[in-house]
Amino acid sequence: MFVPCGTAARRDFKGFTLLMPSVSVGNVGQLVIDLVISTLDMPKVGYFYTDCLVPMVGNNPYATAEENSTELSINAEVYSLPSKKLVVLQIRSPFIKNKYRSFCQTVLSWVKSSKCARVILLSSSHAYQRDDQQLHGTPLRYLLSPTIQKTVGDQMQKLNWKEMEKVAAYPEINNAEKVLHIPGGGITKLLFTERILLSMSFSFVLKKKNWVEHQPAYSHFKKTTNCSKEIPMAVLLKFCSEGDNIPDALALVNYLNEWLQLIKNEQSSSTTTTASHWKIPSSWRLLFGSGLPPALF
Amino acid sequence: MATFFGEVVTALSRAGVDEEEAEREETPEDLEIRRELEKKRCRRRWGRDLLTLVLPTGCNAVAFLSSFILDSVRWEVVGAVSLWNEWCRTLDATNVLPTDSFCLFYRLISDPTVLLCQCNCHVAEDQQFQWLEKVFGYIQKKDLQVIILSTCPVTNYKTPESTLTLPSPFLKALKTKEFKDTICCPLLEQPNIVQDLPAAVLSYCQVWQIPAVLYQCYTDVIKLDTVTIETFKPVLSSKIMASLVKDVPESTEMLKKLLATNEIHNNIYT
């Protein structure tokens, strides 16, 4: 549940864009969210208190001075910047086994009750699972739900972005049926494909009837359901592998910035490349552990 | 999710990142969890108007409180939480506590608003939320303050220098926004974090605006150890703990007894 904090606590984010990560390969979505919060200096507006995530606490991961370094942070928190109509959910720990579906339901319920205009989910997918076509060109992809397609679909065309390809449901047997496949994407596919059903608490129906996206029953349900109840959702993801994922996070946040224009891209006078100024959070120190013992050498 | 207090649910008790998994049937491990959980109960005899909750977790923090705070004259047992998870199978049969319950609640006889919970077992990630609900659910949050003591391997501490060069054990603290008292050691710096039950309790306190402080001892000894236990001593000078401390000679004797008991049972020749 969302628990507001701070002096100007608000529960209503009407018309805001919600950015949230999927806990996925390389934690790229979460790193992007860290960059956005740190660069825009977004104040914390609440906690997302849930039993679905592994508990963790630490001091302020975006501290810039001694004075602001002692505020406690928990595993899921909400930050907001009203001037940009932006609200951000950061998730800092993995899901507890078999609680990911419950988490998706809780998040979507909150999105509906807080009246967010749209959700942008930042994610990643295993680079090693790309097919021959995906190995070439940009490793960045997007997905749009039908509602948001109407409003921003043209913009994606102008940006020359690549939509996430669907894969054969039964490779080598039947290549005609295509499904969305996001290996290593965590809850990305679940949130994106079931945003209608989850938000309407029909997940039990889905489980009981064993519906999947390409089946006639699912399509019929979608047609007969009022699609305006669907939560407008976009997914931005990057193909990557586990390792030092800071470059992947920078690539994905720049991709996001091409669309949302959160910060201005400055053209460097000495080169033709575009330099963006993202502030690395103080908590990104020692990502690969403590220093090495001198005796090792 | 595995719970306790006799609540039977279809659950696993491990945390992990879920990929695109389908719902699966219960494994023999799940059935064993369900059987063991059915045997477990919670007994509780403390009131709602609690002002101080002291929560040591892990053998060294528990031994510290047993030596320096607890005694059978001033404290009475008012509740117990028994729980079961895979870790319980491998726990040493020797227990410094008098019963087979793993979380015992003591109340100060002279001041029933002070509660101490000795938690000497592993509370799994998917049990922690329910543990909180059972313990805090019956306590009024107004005027409550919480102190948590815990230990952690020094190898988990992130520092630019090697952890081999750190003078361990050492104490670090984390506190909620509402906690205004003096802290008796440095705060835990980023990028270090705390996990497990202490993190769950501190998160709860931060969200519901309860003053709380966690004292985490980073140590290179896993088992019961005098040096680690005595690292907690500065905590005794804090406002919450100062009025609860026993006589020093009595504490030292108790500590010797606890360590001796533990050594005998850990000796492979007996």
Side-chain angles (χ1 to χ4, degrees), chain A residues 47 57 59 95 97 100 290, chain B residues 14 16 18 188 190 194 206:
Chain A
Y47 306 100
V57 288
N59 274 330
F95 292 107
K97 194 81 172 172
Y100 60 94
S290 295
Chain B
R14 294 191 198 283
D18 284 306
L188 184 64
Q190 275 284 352
V194 168
Q206 174 74 358

Side-chain angles (χ1 to χ4, degrees), chain B residues 220-232:
Chain B
D220 48 7
V221 178
I222 302 169
K223 300 209 173 210
L224 214 54
D225 164 61
T226 332
V227 179
T228 303
I229 291 167
E230 292 192 338
T231 309
F232 284 113

Side-chain angles (χ1 to χ4, degrees), chain A residues 19 25 27 46 88 96 100 119-120 122 145-146 163 191 199 203 210 214 231 235 238 240 256 261 263 270 282-283:
Chain A
L19 289 186
V25 55
N27 304 101
V88 166
I96 287 175
Y100 60 94
V119 177
I120 300 176
L122 298 160
S145 68
E163 194 172 3
L191 263 181
S199 62
S203 58
N210 200 27
H214 61 273
I231 292 171
V235 174
K238 186 179 187 293
C240 68
L256 173 71
Q261 294 293 303
I263 64 167
S270 55
S282 51
S283 56

Side-chain angles (χ1 to χ4, degrees), chain B residues 209-226:
Chain B
Q209 297 175 53
I210 299 169
V213 63
L214 160 68
Y215 289 106
Q216 174 123 307
C217 176
Y218 286 89
T219 175
D220 48 7
V221 178
I222 302 169
K223 300 209 173 210
L224 214 54
D225 164 61
T226 332

Side-chain angles (χ1 to χ4, degrees), chain A residues 202-250:
Chain A
F202 271 105
S203 58
F204 71 94
V205 174
L206 188 75
K207 270 193 291 192
K208 288 288 180 193
K209 293 187 181 292
N210 200 27
W211 286 351
V212 291
E213 199 171 328
H214 61 273
Q215 283 184 343
Y218 186 99
S219 306
H220 174 73
F221 175 79
K222 273 184 76 171
K223 278 180 196 159
T224 53
T225 305
N226 183 355
C227 283
S228 67
K229 289 183 186 165
E230 172 206 304
I231 292 171
M233 186 179 291
V235 174
L236 302 189
L237 66 88
K238 186 179 187 293
F239 292 117
C240 68
S241 303
E242 292 282 352
D244 180 358
N245 297 107
I246 293 175
D248 299 304
L250 287 168

Side-chain angles (χ1 to χ4, degrees), chain B residues 24-268:
Chain B
R24 58 174 191 78
E25 293 177 5
E26 283 192 328
T27 64
E29 188 185 37
D30 296 330
L31 293 169
E32 188 189 0
I33 291 169
R34 189 192 292 279
R35 263 198 316 274
E36 292 298 328
L37 289 173
E38 280 170 4
K39 299 179 197 168
K40 300 302 173 187
R41 290 289 180 267
C42 165
R43 302 191 310 272
R44 184 182 45 244
R45 269 197 304 119
W46 61 84
R48 283 178 53 83
D49 50 348
L50 220 58
L51 293 181
T52 306
L53 174 64
V54 182
L55 174 61
T57 65
C59 59
N60 283 295
V62 163
F64 172 74
L65 270 288
S66 296
S67 308
F68 291 91
I69 304 288
L70 271 180
D71 60 44
S72 54
V73 173
R74 299 182 306 148
W75 297 83
E76 57 175 352
V77 177
V78 291
V81 163
S82 53
L83 56 93
W84 189 92
N85 51 55
E86 302 88 12
W87 285 75
C88 298
R89 287 199 211 110
T90 58
L91 272 180
D92 196 323
T94 306
N95 199 326
V96 295
L97 304 172
T99 75
D100 62 352
S101 302
F102 290 117
C103 291
L104 269 186
F105 291 84
Y106 296 85
R107 183 171 60 191
L108 188 62
I109 296 169
S110 60
D111 182 359
T113 64
V114 179
L115 193 72
L116 193 152
C117 169
Q118 296 270 51
C119 192
N120 202 13
C121 63
H122 177 72
V123 181
E125 284 92 349
D126 54 353
Q127 295 174 319
Q128 287 158 12
F129 197 83
Q130 286 68 37
W131 188 99
L132 285 170
E133 282 183 338
K134 292 295 177 185
V135 172
F136 283 87
Y138 294 89
I139 303 173
Q140 65 171 24
K141 297 177 187 55
K142 188 174 175 297
D143 298 328
L144 175 66
Q145 52 181 356
V146 178
I147 177 168
I148 311 148
L149 304 180
S150 174
T151 51
C152 181
V154 72
T155 47
N156 286 359
Y157 184 73
K158 286 193 181 169
T159 168
E161 303 87 37
S162 163
T163 51
L164 288 177
T165 60
L166 284 176
S168 65
F170 57 89
L171 211 56
K172 292 283 182 182
L174 277 178
K175 62 181 180 71
T176 62
K177 195 174 178 183
E178 301 299 320
F179 189 86
K180 307 292 183 201
D181 289 347
T182 318
I183 297 169
C184 43
C185 66
L187 284 172
L188 184 64
E189 337 61 10
Q190 275 284 352
N192 291 289
I193 58 171
V194 168
Q195 299 175 76
D196 295 328
L197 188 64
V201 175
L202 213 58
S203 298
Y204 181 92
C205 293
Q206 174 74 358
V207 170
W208 302 116
Q209 297 175 53
I210 299 169
V213 63
L214 160 68
Y215 289 106
Q216 174 123 307
C217 176
Y218 286 89
T219 175
D220 48 7
V221 178
I222 302 169
K223 300 209 173 210
L224 214 54
D225 164 61
T226 332
V227 179
T228 303
I229 291 167
E230 292 192 338
T231 309
F232 284 113
K233 269 188 174 170
V235 175
L236 297 175
S237 59
S238 67
K239 207 169 143 188
I240 300 174
M241 303 289 270
S243 57
L244 306 176
V245 183
K246 285 193 306 199
D247 287 340
V248 171
E250 200 185 324
S251 306
T252 315
E253 270 311 303
M254 182 63 184
L255 187 57
K256 278 186 194 165
K257 218 185 280 181
L258 281 173
L259 289 164
T261 316
N262 190 65
E263 268 179 36
I264 290 166
H265 287 278
N266 282 339
N267 189 331
I268 62 170

